[in-house]
């Protein structure tokens, strides 16, 4: 790692202030992505601003129709929350399937959303549930948040503070994990929301995306059979040593059907 | 204890180089293998992927601190009784991981399958001791050892959590 200055502010204001100072500043949450990047010298920030002391960024609040999760809430705590397992079990289950137990003990929902890894799990949940990213400056709808591979609508000194989800009628996530890394080869999150059926796919392309074709079919009939024979084109899907674009396209259909079955309690 | 370190010092470097606690090992150094696992405020974490500064003010437990000098923690005893290691290099990390696993998987696992499979995705996939490490927890003496330890709620759950896929 190149040298850097390390700050651990106790409140959000100081964190934002430090992030606006001259030079390259980076927030550090769980460090599960950032520290490996620094160790490989792929980044050279002047300053790391640790968000872990800011207590208002941690915690899960379940209300009648919605759930709010603090950006610094660790995957393990999302997975274990009894309240969340009742209110939005698909999200708790997704968190419990991220990486390994040690990664889940450090990694945070805010870090995962901000990082927008093409194979990360949370972005699919945020997009399918039409979630809201709440920052120190504004609220950003999921549809406007993910802008491309590892890129988001966040500005450089903008901090995610909370993620908000309306509780759907039913929802489920089906993931085909890479057997080595456990990142999603393909993960499909299906949600029956107040604004309609939403299907979001991660792992398959350079950035999480929705599948209008599947959404329309499921709006008519919310059963796995409704997706029979439907598939997405392999063009522009990821093609790497783990699987070809065609393989991923096929997995998208398979995982979508599994997610629908799971949402129906199957 | 306090130590003066550079900002970029990793927790594992502080432990091994500054404090000479060399029981914690570095395997991959890339957040994959889990050889470097220690507990920070009771949670198992990869110490190669945490800054020493991030652990400021926290309670850190390494393999050295798991049991009083000369004694073995029940999980250590179970590993030993079942020869659940090959070269032993990653064993400290496996034991620290297993200890936290048993702390956080209470009785409900006896009936619910939902939680169990996740823990089968422990790191260290590539090390042949892994399978042996799981099997050792099915053995009776391991269960007895675990039952007597404060980290386990019931021997049934320990057997279930560790059952082979
Ligand atoms: C072995 C391994 C396996 C993994 N497997 C999976 C997997 O299966 N599925 C999956 O989804 N992920 C997986 N991950 C990634 C993991 O979920 C990380 O936790 C996540 O990508 C980043 O979260 P973090 O809290 O560690 O963020 P950090 O690494 O601390 O930060 C990541 C980026 O987000 C920025 N950031 C962090 N928090 C905020 C905030 N509140 N506001 C604004 N910007 C912020 C940082 O500046 C940085 O650029 C894996 C990681 C490892 C090491
Ligand atoms: S040495 Fe830390 S995970 Fe391998």
């Amino acid at each position: 790692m190149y040298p850097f200055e390390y700050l651990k502010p106790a409140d959000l204001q100081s964190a934002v202030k430090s992030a606006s100072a001259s030079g390259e500043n980076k927030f550090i949450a769980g460090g599960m992505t950032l520290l490996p990047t620094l160790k490989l010298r792929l980044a050279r920030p002047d300053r790391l601003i640790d968000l872990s002391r800011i207590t208002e960024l941690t915690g899960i609040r379940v209300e009648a129709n919605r759930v709010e999760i603090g950006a610094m809430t660790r995957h393990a705590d999302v997975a274990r929350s009894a309240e969340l397992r009742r209110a939005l079990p698909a999200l708790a289950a997704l968190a419990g399937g991220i990486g390994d137990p040690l990664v889940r003990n450090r990694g945070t929902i805010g870090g995962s959303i901000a990082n927008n890894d093409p194979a990360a799990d949370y972005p699919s949940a945020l997009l399918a549930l039409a979630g809201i990213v709440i920052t120190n400056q504004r609220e950003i709808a999921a549809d406007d948040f993910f802008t491309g591979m590892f890129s988001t609508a966040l500005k450089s000194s903008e901090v995610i503070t909370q993620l908000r989800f309306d509780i759907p009628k039913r929802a489920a996530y089906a993931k085909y994990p890479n057997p080595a890394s456990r990142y999603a080869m393909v993960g499909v999150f299906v949600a029956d929301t107040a604004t309609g059926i939403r299907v979001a796919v991660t792992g398959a392309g350079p950035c999480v995306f929705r599948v209008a074709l599947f959404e329309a079919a499921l709006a008519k009939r919310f059963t796995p059979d409704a997706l029979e024979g439907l598939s997405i084109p392999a063009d522009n899907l990821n093609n790497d040593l783990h699987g070809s674009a065609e393989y991923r396209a096929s997995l998208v259909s398979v995982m979508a059907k599994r997610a629908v079955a799971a949402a129906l309690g199957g | 204890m306090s130590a003066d370190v550079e900002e970029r010092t990793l927790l594992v470097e502080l432990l091994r180089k500054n404090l000479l606690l060399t029981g914690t090992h570095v395997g991959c150094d890339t957040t994959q293998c889990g050889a470097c696992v220690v507990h920070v405020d009771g949670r198992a974490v990869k110490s190669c992927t945490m800054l020493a500064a991030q652990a400021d003010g926290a309670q850190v437990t390494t393999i050295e601190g798991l049991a009083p000098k000369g004694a073995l923690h029940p999980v250590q005893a179970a590993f030993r009784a079942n020869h659940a290691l090959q070269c032993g290099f990653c064993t400290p990390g496996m034991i620290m991981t297993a200890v936290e696993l048993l702390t956080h998987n209470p009785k409900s696992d006896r009936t619910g399958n939902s939680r169990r499979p996740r823990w089968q995705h422990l790191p260290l996939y590539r090390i042949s001791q892994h399978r042996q490490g799981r099997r050792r927890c099915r053995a009776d003496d391991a269960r007895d050892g675990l039952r007597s330890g404060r980290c386990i709620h019931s021997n049934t759950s320990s057997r279930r959590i560790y059952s082979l896929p």
Side-chain angles (χ1 to χ4, degrees):
Chain A
M1 278 186 278
Y2 293 112
F4 49 77
E5 193 188 337
Y6 172 86
L7 306 168
K8 204 183 212 173
D11 61 84
L12 192 59
Q13 266 164 318
S14 336
V16 172
K17 197 165 159 227
S18 309
S20 324
S22 68
E24 199 199 324
N25 306 307
K26 275 249 166 231
F27 296 115
I28 178 162
M32 289 296 103
T33 298
L34 186 54
L35 287 174
T37 311
L38 297 182
K39 286 169 79 176
L40 291 169
R41 295 193 165 185
L42 295 172
R44 189 174 193 165
D46 298 295
R47 215 164 281 112
L48 285 194
I49 302 152
D50 189 338
L51 299 174
S52 66
R53 251 177 86 194
I54 310 174
T55 46
E56 65 188 88
L57 297 185
T58 303
I60 299 171
R61 204 168 69 221
V62 176
E63 290 168 17
N65 306 317
R66 62 163 61 157
V67 169
E68 256 183 40
I69 304 182
M72 283 300 290
T73 312
R74 317 266 174 197
H75 307 328
D77 296 322
V78 174
R80 273 202 289 267
S81 160
E83 264 190 309
L84 192 69
R85 285 158 74 106
R86 269 193 303 274
L88 191 34
L91 193 65
L94 174 148
I98 294 176
D100 60 52
L102 315 156
V103 167
R104 297 199 290 274
N105 273 343
R106 294 292 301 159
T108 67
I109 186 169
S112 175
I113 296 286
N115 193 53
N116 192 20
D117 188 296
D121 298 304
Y122 272 127
S124 68
L126 192 80
L127 191 58
L129 293 167
I132 306 282
V133 179
I134 305 173
T135 76
N136 59 316
Q137 299 177 9
R138 57 190 168 140
E139 299 194 352
I140 312 170
D143 283 308
D144 304 323
F145 184 79
F146 301 108
T147 53
M149 189 153 100
F150 291 110
S151 71
T152 68
L154 286 178
K155 296 186 204 123
S156 62
S157 60
E158 195 168 7
V159 191
I160 302 179
T161 57
Q162 314 279 333
L163 288 312
R164 188 197 301 143
F165 306 91
D166 284 340
I167 296 174
K169 274 178 251 163
R170 49 200 168 182
Y173 179 59
K175 169 182 181 179
Y176 191 86
N178 179 311
S181 74
R182 309 225 69 83
Y183 272 99
M185 290 278 293
V186 166
V188 180
F189 203 110
V190 172
D192 186 355
T193 73
T195 55
I197 307 283
R198 294 169 65 102
V199 177
V201 176
T202 189
C207 178
V208 62
F209 60 89
R210 286 172 64 187
V211 185
L213 180 71
F214 291 5
E215 291 177 355
L218 291 170
K220 286 199 198 105
R221 201 156 45 95
F222 194 79
T223 65
D225 292 350
L227 299 176
E228 202 51 55
L230 300 186
S231 62
I232 61 166
D235 316 338
N236 304 322
L237 294 191
N238 299 337
N239 187 1
D240 54 32
L241 81 166
H242 305 298
S244 65
E246 290 73 20
Y247 179 62
R248 282 193 166 84
S250 161
L251 271 183
V252 170
S253 299
V254 174
M255 290 298 126
K257 280 184 215 156
R258 284 190 194 172
V260 174
L264 290 167
Chain B
M1 72 107 231
S2 76
D4 250 338
V5 294
E6 249 192 293
E7 285 89 339
R8 59 179 162 169
T9 305
L10 296 170
L11 178 57
V12 71
E13 291 170 343
L14 169 68
L15 295 171
R16 288 182 55 85
K17 294 190 183 150
N18 299 49
L19 305 177
L20 303 177
L21 292 168
T22 53
T24 303
H25 293 168
V26 177
C28 65
D29 203 10
T30 52
T31 330
Q32 326 255 336
C33 74
C36 63
V37 171
V38 302
H39 293 182
V40 175
D41 285 337
R43 288 186 171 219
V45 304
K46 295 170 180 172
S47 63
C48 76
T49 311
M50 182 164 178
L51 298 171
Q54 286 178 291
D56 186 21
Q59 172 149 7
V60 178
T61 308
T62 67
I63 189 80
E64 288 93 340
L66 210 49
K69 210 169 168 54
L72 291 180
H73 183 279
V75 173
Q76 289 174 305
F79 266 65
R80 183 175 177 219
N82 291 277
H83 197 67
L85 66 158
Q86 194 175 24
C87 76
F89 187 81
C90 64
T91 307
M94 286 200 77
I95 288 174
M96 296 309 283
T97 305
V99 169
E100 197 224 359
L101 150 67
L102 295 168
T103 315
H104 280 300
N105 280 263
K107 300 183 196 92
S108 58
D109 283 38
R110 267 186 292 180
T111 48
N113 279 327
S114 56
R115 285 206 205 168
R116 182 166 64 94
R118 305 302 184 199
W119 281 95
Q120 289 174 348
H121 302 147
L122 291 171
L124 308 153
Y125 315 105
R126 295 171 196 84
I127 299 179
S128 59
Q129 110 174 43
H130 192 194
R131 206 153 260 272
Q132 191 79 13
R134 280 189 191 157
R135 191 174 297 132
R136 64 114 181 68
C137 279
R138 281 160 63 98
D140 286 345
D141 46 353
R143 269 189 283 130
D144 292 345
L146 290 167
R147 191 168 38 190
S148 63
R150 59 183 165 73
C151 61
I152 182 70
H153 301 261
S154 90
N155 64 347
T156 318
S157 68
S158 74
R159 190 178 59 227
R160 286 239 170 187
I161 294 159
Y162 278 100
S163 61
L164 289 163

